[in-house]
Coordinates of all heavy atoms in Angstrom, one line a residue:
H153 N 1.9 1.3 0.8 CA 2.8 2.5 0.9 C 3.6 2.8 -0.4 O 4.1 3.9 -0.5 CB 3.7 2.4 2.1 CG 2.9 2.3 3.4 ND1 2.3 3.4 3.9 CD2 2.5 1.3 4.2 CE1 1.7 3.1 5.0 NE2 1.8 1.8 5.2
D154 N 3.7 1.8 -1.3 CA 4.4 2.1 -2.5 C 3.7 3.0 -3.4 O 4.2 3.5 -4.4 CB 4.8 0.8 -3.2 CG 3.6 0.0 -3.6 OD1 2.6 0.0 -2.9 OD2 3.6 -0.7 -4.7
K155 N 2.4 3.3 -3.2 CA 1.6 4.2 -4.0 C 1.5 5.6 -3.4 O 1.0 6.5 -4.0 CB 0.1 3.7 -4.1 CG 0.0 2.3 -4.6 CD 0.4 2.2 -6.1 CE 0.1 0.9 -6.7 NZ 0.5 0.7 -8.1
I156 N 2.2 5.8 -2.2 CA 2.2 7.1 -1.6 C 3.5 7.8 -2.0 O 4.6 7.3 -1.9 CB 2.2 6.9 0.0 CG1 1.0 6.1 0.4 CG2 2.3 8.2 0.7 CD1 -0.4 6.7 0.0
D157 N 3.3 9.1 -2.5 CA 4.4 9.9 -2.8 C 5.1 10.5 -1.6 O 6.3 10.4 -1.5 CB 3.9 11.0 -3.8 CG 5.0 11.9 -4.3 OD1 6.0 11.4 -4.8 OD2 4.9 13.1 -4.2
R158 N 4.3 11.1 -0.7 CA 4.8 11.7 0.5 C 3.7 12.0 1.5 O 2.6 12.1 1.2 CB 5.6 12.9 0.2 CG 4.8 14.1 -0.3 CD 5.7 15.2 -0.7 NE 5.0 16.3 -1.3 CZ 4.5 16.4 -2.5 NH1 4.6 15.4 -3.3 NH2 3.8 17.5 -2.9
V159 N 4.2 12.2 2.7 CA 3.2 12.7 3.8 C 3.1 14.2 3.7 O 4.1 14.9 3.6 CB 3.8 12.3 5.2 CG1 2.9 12.9 6.3 CG2 3.8 10.8 5.4
L160 N 1.9 14.7 3.6 CA 1.7 16.1 3.5 C 1.4 16.7 4.9 O 1.9 17.8 5.2 CB 0.5 16.4 2.6 CG 0.2 17.8 2.2 CD1 1.3 18.4 1.4 CD2 -1.1 17.9 1.4
I161 N 0.6 16.0 5.7 CA 0.3 16.5 7.0 C 0.3 15.3 8.0 O -0.3 14.3 7.7 CB -1.1 17.2 7.1 CG1 -1.3 18.3 6.0 CG2 -1.4 17.7 8.5 CD1 -2.7 18.7 5.8
T162 N 1.1 15.4 9.0 CA 1.3 14.3 9.9 C 0.1 14.2 10.9 O -0.7 15.1 11.1 CB 2.5 14.5 10.8 OG1 2.3 15.6 11.7 CG2 3.8 14.6 10.0
E163 N 0.0 13.0 11.4 CA -1.1 12.7 12.4 C -1.0 13.7 13.6 O -2.0 14.2 14.1 CB -1.0 11.3 12.9 CG -2.1 10.9 13.8 CD -2.0 9.4 14.3 OE1 -1.0 8.8 14.2 OE2 -3.1 8.9 14.8
A164 N 0.2 14.0 14.1 CA 0.4 14.9 15.2 C -0.1 16.3 14.8 O -0.8 17.0 15.6 CB 1.8 14.9 15.6
E165 N 0.2 16.8 13.6 CA -0.3 18.1 13.2 C -1.8 18.1 13.1 O -2.5 19.1 13.4 CB 0.3 18.4 11.8 CG 1.8 18.7 11.8 CD 2.4 18.8 10.4 OE1 2.1 17.9 9.6 OE2 3.2 19.7 10.2
I166 N -2.4 17.0 12.6 CA -3.8 16.9 12.5 C -4.5 17.0 13.8 O -5.4 17.8 14.0 CB -4.2 15.6 11.7 CG1 -3.7 15.6 10.3 CG2 -5.7 15.4 11.8 CD1 -3.8 14.2 9.6
E167 N -4.0 16.2 14.8 CA -4.6 16.1 16.1 C -4.5 17.5 16.8 O -5.4 17.9 17.5 CB -3.9 15.0 16.9 CG -4.3 13.6 16.4 CD -5.7 13.3 16.5 OE1 -6.5 13.8 17.3 OE2 -6.1 12.4 15.6
K168 N -3.4 18.2 16.6 CA -3.2 19.5 17.2 C -4.2 20.5 16.7 O -4.8 21.3 17.4 CB -1.8 20.0 17.0 CG -1.5 21.4 17.5 CD 0.0 21.8 17.2 CE 0.3 23.2 17.9 NZ -0.3 24.3 17.2
R169 N -4.4 20.5 15.4 CA -5.3 21.4 14.7 C -6.8 21.1 15.1 O -7.6 22.0 15.3 CB -5.2 21.4 13.2 CG -6.0 22.3 12.5 CD -5.7 23.8 12.8 NE -6.6 24.7 12.1 CZ -7.4 25.6 12.7 NH1 -7.3 25.8 14.0 NH2 -8.2 26.3 12.0
I170 N -7.1 19.8 15.2 CA -8.4 19.4 15.6 C -8.8 19.9 17.0 O -9.9 20.3 17.3 CB -8.6 17.8 15.5 CG1 -8.7 17.4 14.0 CG2 -9.9 17.4 16.2 CD1 -8.6 15.9 13.8
A171 N -7.8 19.8 17.9 CA -8.0 20.3 19.3 C -8.3 21.8 19.2 O -9.2 22.3 20.0 CB -6.8 20.1 20.1
E172 N -7.6 22.6 18.4 CA -7.9 24.0 18.2 C -9.3 24.3 17.7 O -10.0 25.1 18.2 CB -6.9 24.7 17.3 CG -5.5 24.7 17.9 CD -4.4 25.0 16.8 OE1 -4.7 25.1 15.6 OE2 -3.2 25.1 17.2
I173 N -9.7 23.5 16.7 CA -11.1 23.6 16.1 C -12.1 23.3 17.2 O -13.1 24.0 17.3 CB -11.2 22.8 14.9 CG1 -10.3 23.3 13.7 CG2 -12.7 22.8 14.4 CD1 -10.2 22.3 12.5
G174 N -11.9 22.2 17.9 CA -12.8 21.8 19.0 C -13.0 22.9 20.0 O -14.2 23.1 20.4
T175 N -12.0 23.6 20.4 CA -12.1 24.7 21.3 C -12.9 25.8 20.7 O -13.8 26.4 21.4 CB -10.6 25.2 21.7 OG1 -9.9 24.1 22.3 CG2 -10.7 26.4 22.6
A176 N -12.7 26.1 19.5 CA -13.5 27.2 18.8 C -15.0 26.8 18.7 O -15.9 27.6 19.0 CB -12.9 27.5 17.4
I177 N -15.3 25.6 18.4 CA -16.7 25.1 18.3 C -17.3 25.1 19.6 O -18.5 25.6 19.8 CB -16.7 23.7 17.6 CG1 -16.3 23.8 16.2 CG2 -18.1 23.1 17.8 CD1 -16.1 22.4 15.5
T178 N -16.6 24.7 20.7 CA -17.1 24.7 22.0 C -17.5 26.2 22.4 O -18.6 26.4 23.0 CB -16.1 24.2 23.0 OG1 -15.8 22.8 22.7 CG2 -16.6 24.3 24.5
A179 N -16.7 27.1 22.1 CA -17.0 28.5 22.4 C -18.2 29.1 21.6 O -19.0 29.7 22.1 CB -15.7 29.4 22.2
D180 N -18.2 28.7 20.3 CA -19.3 29.2 19.4 C -20.7 28.7 19.7 O -21.7 29.3 19.4 CB -18.9 29.0 18.0 CG -17.7 29.8 17.5 OD1 -17.3 30.7 18.3 OD2 -17.2 29.5 16.4
Y181 N -20.8 27.5 20.3 CA -22.0 26.8 20.4 C -22.5 26.6 21.9 O -23.4 25.9 22.1 CB -22.0 25.4 19.7 CG -22.1 25.5 18.2 CD1 -20.9 25.5 17.5 CD2 -23.3 25.6 17.6 CE1 -21.0 25.6 16.1 CE2 -23.4 25.7 16.2 CZ -22.2 25.7 15.5 OH -22.2 25.8 14.1
Q182 N -21.9 27.4 22.8 CA -22.4 27.4 24.2 C -23.9 27.6 24.2 O -24.4 28.6 23.6 CB -21.7 28.5 25.0 CG -20.2 28.1 25.3 CD -20.1 26.9 26.2 OE1 -20.8 26.7 27.2 NE2 -19.1 26.1 25.9
G183 N -24.6 26.8 24.9 CA -26.1 27.0 25.2 C -26.9 26.7 23.9 O -28.1 27.0 24.0
K184 N -26.4 26.1 22.9 CA -27.1 25.8 21.7 C -27.3 24.3 21.5 O -26.5 23.5 22.0 CB -26.4 26.4 20.5 CG -26.3 27.9 20.5 CD -25.7 28.5 19.3 CE -25.6 30.0 19.4 NZ -24.9 30.6 18.3
D185 N -28.4 24.0 20.9 CA -28.7 22.6 20.5 C -28.0 22.2 19.3 O -28.4 22.5 18.2 CB -30.2 22.4 20.3 CG -30.7 21.0 20.0 OD1 -29.9 20.1 20.2 OD2 -31.8 20.8 19.6
L186 N -26.8 21.6 19.5 CA -25.9 21.3 18.3 C -26.0 19.9 17.9 O -26.0 18.9 18.7 CB -24.5 21.5 18.8 CG -23.4 21.2 17.7 CD1 -23.5 22.0 16.5 CD2 -22.0 21.4 18.4
I187 N -26.2 19.7 16.6 CA -26.2 18.4 15.9 C -25.0 18.4 14.9 O -25.0 19.3 14.1 CB -27.5 18.0 15.3 CG1 -27.4 16.6 14.6 CG2 -28.0 19.0 14.3 CD1 -28.7 15.9 14.3
V188 N -24.1 17.5 15.1 CA -23.0 17.4 14.2 C -23.4 16.3 13.1 O -23.7 15.2 13.4 CB -21.7 17.0 15.0 CG1 -20.6 16.8 14.0 CG2 -21.4 18.0 16.0
V189 N -23.3 16.8 11.9 CA -23.6 15.9 10.7 C -22.3 15.5 10.0 O -21.7 16.3 9.4 CB -24.6 16.6 9.8 CG1 -24.9 15.7 8.5 CG2 -25.9 16.9 10.5
C190 N -22.0 14.2 10.1 CA -20.8 13.7 9.4 C -21.1 13.3 8.0 O -22.1 12.5 7.8 CB -20.3 12.5 10.2 SG -18.8 11.7 9.5
V191 N -20.3 13.8 7.1 CA -20.5 13.4 5.7 C -19.6 12.1 5.5 O -18.4 12.2 5.5 CB -20.1 14.5 4.7 CG1 -20.3 14.1 3.3 CG2 -20.8 15.8 5.0
L192 N -20.3 11.0 5.3 CA -19.7 9.7 5.1 C -19.1 9.6 3.7 O -19.7 10.1 2.8 CB -20.6 8.6 5.4 CG -21.1 8.5 6.8 CD1 -22.2 7.4 6.9 CD2 -20.0 8.1 7.7
K193 N -18.2 8.8 3.5 CA -17.4 8.0 4.5 C -16.2 8.8 4.9 O -15.6 8.5 6.0 CB -16.9 6.7 3.9 CG -18.0 5.7 3.5 CD -17.4 4.4 2.9 CE -18.4 3.6 2.3 NZ -17.9 2.5 1.5
G194 N -15.7 9.7 4.1 CA -14.4 10.3 4.3 C -14.2 11.1 5.6 O -13.1 11.1 6.2
A195 N -15.3 11.6 6.2 CA -15.1 12.4 7.4 C -15.2 11.7 8.7 O -15.1 12.2 9.8 CB -16.2 13.6 7.4
F196 N -15.4 10.3 8.7 CA -15.6 9.6 9.9 C -14.4 9.7 10.9 O -14.6 9.8 12.1 CB -16.0 8.1 9.6 CG -14.8 7.2 9.3 CD1 -14.3 6.4 10.3 CD2 -14.3 7.2 8.0 CE1 -13.2 5.6 9.9 CE2 -13.3 6.4 7.7 CZ -12.7 5.6 8.6
M197 N -13.2 9.6 10.4 CA -12.1 9.7 11.3 C -11.9 11.1 11.9 O -11.6 11.3 13.1 CB -10.8 9.3 10.6 CG -10.7 7.8 10.4 SD -9.2 7.2 9.6 CE -8.0 7.4 10.9
F198 N -12.1 12.1 11.1 CA -12.1 13.5 11.5 C -13.2 13.7 12.6 O -12.9 14.3 13.6 CB -12.3 14.4 10.3 CG -12.3 15.9 10.6 CD1 -11.5 16.5 11.6 CD2 -13.2 16.7 9.9 CE1 -11.5 17.8 11.8 CE2 -13.2 18.1 10.1 CZ -12.4 18.6 11.1
L199 N -14.4 13.3 12.3 CA -15.5 13.4 13.2 C -15.1 12.8 14.6 O -15.4 13.4 15.6 CB -16.8 12.8 12.7 CG -17.9 12.7 13.7 CD1 -18.6 14.0 13.7 CD2 -18.8 11.6 13.5
S200 N -14.6 11.6 14.5 CA -14.3 10.8 15.8 C -13.3 11.6 16.6 O -13.5 11.8 17.8 CB -13.7 9.5 15.4 OG -13.3 8.8 16.6
S201 N -12.3 12.2 16.0 CA -11.3 13.0 16.8 C -11.9 14.3 17.2 O -11.7 14.8 18.3 CB -10.1 13.2 15.9 OG -9.4 12.0 15.6
L202 N -12.7 14.9 16.3 CA -13.3 16.3 16.6 C -14.3 16.3 17.8 O -14.2 17.1 18.7 CB -13.9 16.8 15.4 CG -14.6 18.2 15.5 CD1 -13.5 19.3 15.8 CD2 -15.3 18.6 14.2
V203 N -15.2 15.4 17.8 CA -16.2 15.4 18.8 C -15.7 15.2 20.2 O -16.2 15.7 21.2 CB -17.4 14.5 18.5 CG1 -18.2 14.9 17.3 CG2 -17.0 13.0 18.5
K204 N -14.5 14.5 20.3 CA -13.9 14.3 21.6 C -13.3 15.6 22.1 O -13.0 15.7 23.3 CB -12.8 13.2 21.5 CG -13.4 11.8 21.3 CD -12.3 10.8 21.3 CE -12.0 10.4 19.9 NZ -11.0 9.3 19.8
K205 N -13.1 16.6 21.2 CA -12.5 17.9 21.6 C -13.6 19.0 21.8 O -13.3 20.1 22.1 CB -11.5 18.3 20.6 CG -10.4 17.3 20.4 CD -9.6 17.1 21.6 CE -8.4 16.2 21.4 NZ -7.8 15.8 22.7
I206 N -14.9 18.6 21.6 CA -16.0 19.6 21.7 C -16.5 19.3 23.1 O -17.1 18.2 23.4 CB -17.1 19.4 20.7 CG1 -16.5 19.7 19.3 CG2 -18.2 20.3 21.0 CD1 -17.4 19.4 18.1
D207 N -16.4 20.3 24.0 CA -16.8 20.2 25.4 C -18.3 20.7 25.6 O -18.5 21.6 26.3 CB -15.9 20.9 26.3 CG -16.1 20.6 27.8 OD1 -16.7 19.6 28.1 OD2 -15.7 21.4 28.6
L208 N -19.2 20.0 24.9 CA -20.6 20.4 24.9 C -21.4 19.1 24.7 O -20.9 18.1 24.1 CB -21.0 21.3 23.8 CG -20.3 22.7 23.7 CD1 -20.6 23.3 22.3 CD2 -20.8 23.5 24.8
P209 N -22.7 19.1 25.1 CA -23.5 18.0 24.7 C -23.8 18.1 23.2 O -24.3 19.2 22.7 CB -24.8 18.1 25.5 CG -24.7 19.4 26.2 CD -23.3 20.0 26.0
V210 N -23.5 17.1 22.4 CA -23.8 17.1 21.0 C -24.5 15.8 20.6 O -24.3 14.8 21.2 CB -22.5 17.3 20.1 CG1 -21.8 18.6 20.4 CG2 -21.6 16.1 20.2
S211 N -25.3 15.9 19.6 CA -25.8 14.7 19.0 C -25.1 14.6 17.6 O -24.7 15.6 17.0 CB -27.4 14.7 18.9 OG -27.8 15.7 18.1
I212 N -25.1 13.4 17.1 CA -24.3 13.1 15.9 C -25.3 12.3 15.0 O -26.0 11.4 15.4 CB -23.1 12.2 16.2 CG1 -22.1 13.0 17.1 CG2 -22.4 11.9 14.9 CD1 -21.0 12.1 17.7
D213 N -25.2 12.7 13.7 CA -25.9 12.0 12.7 C -25.0 11.9 11.5 O -24.0 12.5 11.4 CB -27.3 12.7 12.3 CG -28.3 11.8 11.8 OD1 -28.0 10.6 11.3 OD2 -29.5 12.1 11.7
F214 N -25.4 11.1 10.5 CA -24.6 10.8 9.4 C -25.4 10.9 8.1 O -26.6 10.6 8.0 CB -24.1 9.3 9.4 CG -23.2 9.1 10.6 CD1 -23.8 8.7 11.8 CD2 -21.8 9.3 10.6 CE1 -23.0 8.5 13.0 CE2 -21.0 9.1 11.7 CZ -21.6 8.7 12.9
I215 N -24.7 11.4 7.1 CA -25.3 11.6 5.7 C -24.2 11.1 4.7 O -23.0 11.2 5.0 CB -25.7 13.0 5.5 CG1 -26.7 13.1 4.4 CG2 -24.5 14.0 5.3 CD1 -27.5 14.5 4.4
A216 N -24.7 10.5 3.7 CA -23.7 10.1 2.7 C -24.1 10.6 1.3 O -25.3 10.5 0.9 CB -23.6 8.6 2.6
V217 N -23.2 11.3 0.6 CA -23.4 11.8 -0.7 C -22.2 11.5 -1.5 O -21.2 11.2 -1.0 CB -23.6 13.4 -0.7 CG1 -24.9 13.8 0.0 CG2 -22.5 14.1 -0.1

Side-chain angles (χ1 to χ4, degrees):
H153 295 284
D154 62 325
K155 303 291 184 183
I156 302 302
D157 183 50
R158 67 185 177 283
V159 172
L160 188 63
I161 306 167
T162 67
E163 182 179 20
E165 292 170 312
I166 295 166
E167 293 298 332
K168 180 180 183 286
R169 183 66 184 124
I170 288 172
E172 294 167 354
I173 295 169
T175 298
I177 291 169
T178 298
D180 292 348
Y181 285 95
Q182 286 293 321
K184 296 181 178 173
D185 181 14
L186 177 60
I187 181 167
V188 178
V189 174
C190 178
V191 181
L192 294 173
K193 295 178 190 171
F196 79 98
M197 286 180 74
F198 177 39
L199 172 84
S200 175
S201 297
L202 180 64
V203 294
K204 290 183 258 184
K205 301 299 181 187
I206 298 173
D207 190 19
L208 300 169
V210 299
S211 58
I212 300 168
D213 206 343
F214 299 89
I215 199 161
V217 293

